[in-house]
Amino acid sequence: MTANDDAALSEDAATLNAAPTDARVKALLTGCRRIAVVGASPKTHRPSNGVLRFLARHGYDVVAVNPGHAGGTIADVPCHAKLADVPGPVHMVDIFRRSDRAGDVIDEAITLKEEKGIVGIWTQLGVVDDAAAARAAAAGLVVVQNRCPAIELPRLGLG
């Protein structure tokens, strides 16, 4: 992230997590520049592919995470097997996994928080794991669940 990051992300994560959802959404979308899309699909009709392309078109540095396609590309961005394999920083982890699998990804993000510079967890529409979200928040990560950045960016006038 750069020195020009939105001031909201410099707030304590607990403060942001207690704030209205729009405040968290806005903080992540304006303060994060590098996003890992976990569960990205090479199939163009899949929502994960569309969101990955949308984020890239809106200026985010996006990487795909999908063990079945590691070493290749998805929507013209590099694909890695797991978060730990992504070179360099990852500011936000956008999760396209079933709710019962999201916790594993969130736990990996918590473990990699310092190493990768992860500040936020985002779960897509229909993906909710309150226990894992609570672990992430307790670890100091900003959490947004059951939302889509491709919907939220235009709704909030950010893109």
Side-chain angles (χ1 to χ4, degrees):
M1 296 192 321
T2 68
N4 295 329
D5 289 341
D6 184 45
L9 267 181
S10 66
E11 290 183 43
D12 178 89
T15 302
L16 272 175
N17 285 326
T21 302
D22 280 357
R24 277 179 276 148
V25 167
K26 205 171 221 181
L28 283 176
L29 293 176
T30 58
C32 293
R33 297 311 321 151
R34 190 149 200 247
I35 300 173
V37 178
V38 177
S41 174
K43 297 175 182 173
T44 58
H45 68 280
R46 300 295 302 254
S48 62
N49 185 285
V51 169
L52 187 144
R53 286 184 284 115
F54 177 91
L55 291 169
R57 279 193 316 271
H58 282 81
Y60 292 94
D61 179 8
V62 185
V63 294
V65 176
N66 182 324
H69 299 283
T73 61
I74 294 178
D76 298 323
V77 303
C79 185
H80 305 278
K82 56 189 178 193
L83 283 173
D85 296 338
V86 175
V90 172
H91 305 130
M92 184 174 90
V93 179
D94 185 4
I95 302 171
F96 279 91
R97 299 294 312 260
R98 293 187 328 247
S99 293
D100 65 341
R101 303 293 301 273
D104 293 338
V105 177
I106 292 170
D107 289 338
E108 182 184 12
I110 292 167
T111 300
L112 295 169
K113 175 186 168 199
E114 298 302 321
E115 176 185 336
K116 296 289 182 190
I118 298 170
V119 296
I121 298 292
W122 187 296
T123 68
Q124 284 293 321
L125 294 172
V127 180
V128 177
D129 183 334
D130 290 330
R135 290 192 302 274
L141 296 172
V142 178
V143 179
V144 173
Q145 289 194 98
N146 195 27
R147 300 276 177 135
C148 179
I151 294 170
E152 299 300 324
L153 275 163
R155 183 182 73 79
L156 294 170
L158 300 173

